[in-house]
Amino acid sequence: MKKEDILYFNLILLHAGIGFLVYLFPFIAKIYGYAIFIVGAYYIIKKQNKNHEALIVAAYVVGSEVFLRMTHGNPLYEISKYGVMVFIFIGMYFSGFSKGAVPYWIFLILLVPSVILSTFVLDFETNIKNAIAFNISGPVCLGIASLYTFRRKISLGQVNTILLSMGLPIVTCMVYLTFYTPNIRDVITSTQSSFETSGGFGPNQVATFLGLGMFIFFSRVILESRTKFMLGLNLIVAINMSYRGMVTFSRGGMITGFLMIILLLVFLYFKTNYTGRVKLNYIIVFVSLAMMATWTYTSFQTGGLIDKRYANQDAAGRAKESKFTGREDVANNEINTFLKNPIFGVGVGKGVEVRLAETGNGTLSHDEITRMLAEHGSLGIIGLLILFFTPLFLYLENKFNMFLLCFVAFWFFTINHAAMRTAAPAFVYSLSLLNVYLGDPPTKRVRQS
């Protein structure tokens, strides 16, 4: 076995071991959570961000967020978003921010009016600071990360390292879930999202991360498996993540991850020569068979309930009235709120109060797009247009970034079903702005500003 294989196997084994230890001794989650931020800061400062260590550490923070939330290992519930911003700021200190990132300065400025408005309109009994921070931390995290990544030159190898850094703590989460719910048949009795198979945490967020992890390790099957051992290891991890994600019975994250894999395969198919396409055909067949086998096994383990879940049926096989478990009612309310307050919206965090007063439903929004409309008004529309079109324009000038469309797709579909509750959509979006090139990193680093 090659030295590279041994190192990679040890990384996977280490993170699998952390998941097992946290299951046995829950207090270890706290140690793990604090260590990430302490060691991460030391690592960036020691390396002086010469090889984009800020992005590597931020990616690790992002990948560990849901696991630490479900095991209560985070020092603060929302600390991952703030941690990403802090590490990006440290990276900016050593490497500067991107001079041309004007669209994201504009985006951040567009958020300000509704923040100011909310300080006047939120109910007296509402914790104004928490209400604003909960809703605005995601967009701000996206904006700040984008100021760093916009057109920043980086090698494809470094991008794969960043993705691996994000994927390793998801391995930890996967192993923890395996021990938390060893027998799926004992807990799956309906087609509803399952907290029992999600570590007692929100299935929507857990499936989002497992879907992302599935994409990361399937991409490594395609791009980073230089030996048969690494191919087998990456495939085992990817299939296990697929299985654990499916049995959460939360569809959004898994569908998004599957779509990302398809986008990557399509990109590679059209960008490679004839010989490359022949090899890719074998990979596509191989991956397809692996996914089919995983689905078949999941269907067997759940007694066919997973088939009914994705067909929008209940356990008896009857079609459900709503495909979105009532979230469309919240989205419709936010659209109506926007139509009544089209300029500045109702203010950050005010949307849920308006909805509670009008309908008696105080459910938090799962759709960042309609939330931006309701709480930021027309300024929110402009901000969303900036976020959507900027990476697409960059794609026209840097068509080698094979992950660009995958990252944008993850951001767009995730904020439609899970808003920006986690740092993942914000950070993954920012990676789409990188200027990716082939070859080794340049030996001489030039500050961006």
Side-chain angles (χ1 to χ4, degrees):
M1 189 182 297
K2 294 182 179 180
K3 186 179 295 185
E4 183 183 8
D5 292 349
I6 296 173
L7 176 61
Y8 187 65
F9 176 72
N10 287 338
L11 275 174
I12 299 292
L13 189 63
L14 171 64
H15 286 82
I18 293 172
F20 177 61
L21 288 175
V22 170
Y23 173 74
L24 291 178
F25 311 105
F27 71 90
I28 292 179
K30 284 285 185 185
I31 299 174
Y32 180 51
Y34 280 91
I36 290 172
F37 293 95
I38 296 171
V39 175
Y42 173 78
Y43 178 65
I44 300 171
I45 294 171
K46 182 181 179 181
K47 297 291 185 178
Q48 296 186 353
N49 201 43
K50 292 179 180 178
N51 291 303
H52 306 292
E53 284 81 8
L55 292 179
I56 295 172
V57 174
Y60 196 91
V61 170
V62 168
S64 66
E65 182 173 12
V66 162
F67 173 68
L68 292 176
R69 282 184 175 182
M70 74 169 63
T71 57
H72 308 288
N74 262 339
L76 297 171
Y77 189 79
E78 291 283 326
I79 198 171
S80 294
K81 295 175 189 173
Y82 300 115
V84 169
M85 288 187 272
V86 169
F87 291 136
I88 291 296
F89 278 132
I90 296 175
M92 287 181 180
Y93 173 78
F94 290 109
S95 306
F97 54 83
S98 299
K99 291 181 179 179
V102 175
Y104 297 97
W105 285 112
I106 295 173
F107 172 74
L108 289 171
I109 292 171
L110 290 173
L111 299 175
V112 174
S114 293
V115 173
I116 296 174
L117 176 63
S118 63
T119 62
F120 294 98
V121 299
L122 285 171
D123 291 345
F124 181 75
E125 62 271 15
T126 299
N127 187 319
I128 295 177
K129 182 181 71 173
N130 289 347
I132 294 175
F134 177 80
N135 289 283
I136 206 69
S137 57
V140 171
C141 180
L142 183 153
I144 290 174
S146 298
L147 293 179
Y148 178 86
T149 59
F150 186 79
R151 285 179 172 165
R152 186 175 291 270
K153 292 184 178 181
I154 189 169
S155 72
L156 178 60
Q158 288 174 312
V159 174
N160 283 319
T161 299
I162 291 167
L163 289 178
L164 177 61
S165 182
M166 200 185 311
L168 287 173
I170 303 179
V171 172
T172 300
C173 181
M174 175 193 72
V175 172
Y176 176 83
L177 292 174
T178 301
F179 287 101
Y180 188 92
T181 317
N183 196 334
I184 299 300
R185 292 185 179 184
D186 292 343
V187 297
I188 298 295
T189 57
S190 71
T191 59
Q192 299 298 317
S193 296
S194 174
F195 282 83
E196 289 83 359
T197 57
S198 304
F201 194 66
N204 195 23
Q205 293 186 26
V206 174
T208 296
F209 275 69
L210 289 171
L212 177 60
M214 175 183 72
F215 165 76
I216 290 171
F217 284 94
F218 266 120
S219 74
R220 295 190 68 80
V221 168
I222 300 167
L223 301 171
E224 289 290 306
S225 296
R226 298 180 181 87
T227 64
K228 291 181 179 179
F229 175 81
M230 292 185 74
L231 174 65
L233 182 58
N234 285 322
L235 188 63
I236 290 171
V237 174
I239 288 175
N240 273 278
M241 283 190 179
S242 304
Y243 172 66
R244 298 310 309 191
M246 288 177 187
V247 296
T248 65
F249 275 63
S250 184
R251 296 165 292 187
M254 299 311 297
I255 293 173
T256 300
F258 183 66
L259 177 62
M260 292 170 74
I261 294 171
I262 292 176
L263 286 172
L264 178 61
L265 290 172
V266 170
F267 178 95
L268 292 173
Y269 195 83
F270 284 102
K271 291 294 182 180
T272 55
N273 55 27
Y274 175 77
T275 304
R277 288 182 183 179
V278 172
K279 293 180 181 178
L280 198 57
N281 284 334
Y282 287 110
I283 293 174
I284 291 173
V285 171
F286 188 62
V287 170
S288 298
L289 290 174
M291 293 298 291
M292 290 172 61
T294 306
W295 179 272
T296 302
Y297 180 74
T298 306
S299 180
F300 173 74
Q301 286 292 315
T302 60
L305 290 176
I306 191 68
D307 304 81
K308 295 177 180 179
R309 172 61 172 171
Y310 278 79
N312 196 47
Q313 298 174 348
D314 62 17
R318 296 168 298 199
K320 296 180 181 179
E321 294 182 6
S322 171
K323 293 183 179 180
F324 305 104
T325 60
R327 294 173 187 170
E328 68 272 25
D329 295 330
V330 175
N332 287 333
N333 174 266
E334 289 178 323
I335 292 172
N336 291 331
T337 301
F338 163 70
L339 294 175
K340 296 175 184 176
N341 305 271
I343 301 177
F344 295 112
V346 294
V348 176
K350 184 65 178 178
V352 66
E353 294 182 356
V354 172
R355 183 160 54 257
L356 181 62
E358 292 180 352
T359 67
N361 180 6
T363 303
L364 295 173
S365 177
H366 283 76
D367 192 323
E368 189 69 14
I369 292 176
T370 56
R371 188 201 69 79
M372 288 279 288
L373 293 179
E375 299 186 359
H376 295 268
S378 298
L379 300 183
I381 293 178
I382 298 172
L384 289 169
L385 291 175
I386 289 173
L387 297 185
F388 186 77
F389 284 107
T390 303
L392 299 184
F393 285 131
L394 292 182
Y395 179 71
L396 297 177
E397 70 177 45
N398 179 27
K399 293 184 178 180
F400 183 72
N401 188 349
M402 64 183 68
F403 293 116
L404 188 150
L405 296 179
C406 303
F407 293 155
V408 174
F410 176 81
W411 163 76
F412 181 77
F413 289 106
T414 299
I415 67 171
N416 270 277
H417 71 83
M420 295 186 77
R421 305 281 175 82
T422 66
F427 181 74
V428 171
Y429 172 92
S430 72
L431 298 181
S432 71
L433 308 176
L434 292 168
N435 188 352
V436 181
Y437 62 89
L438 277 173
D440 297 324
T443 56
K444 186 177 180 179
R445 177 170 52 92
V446 180
R447 289 181 62 92
Q448 298 259 331
S449 69

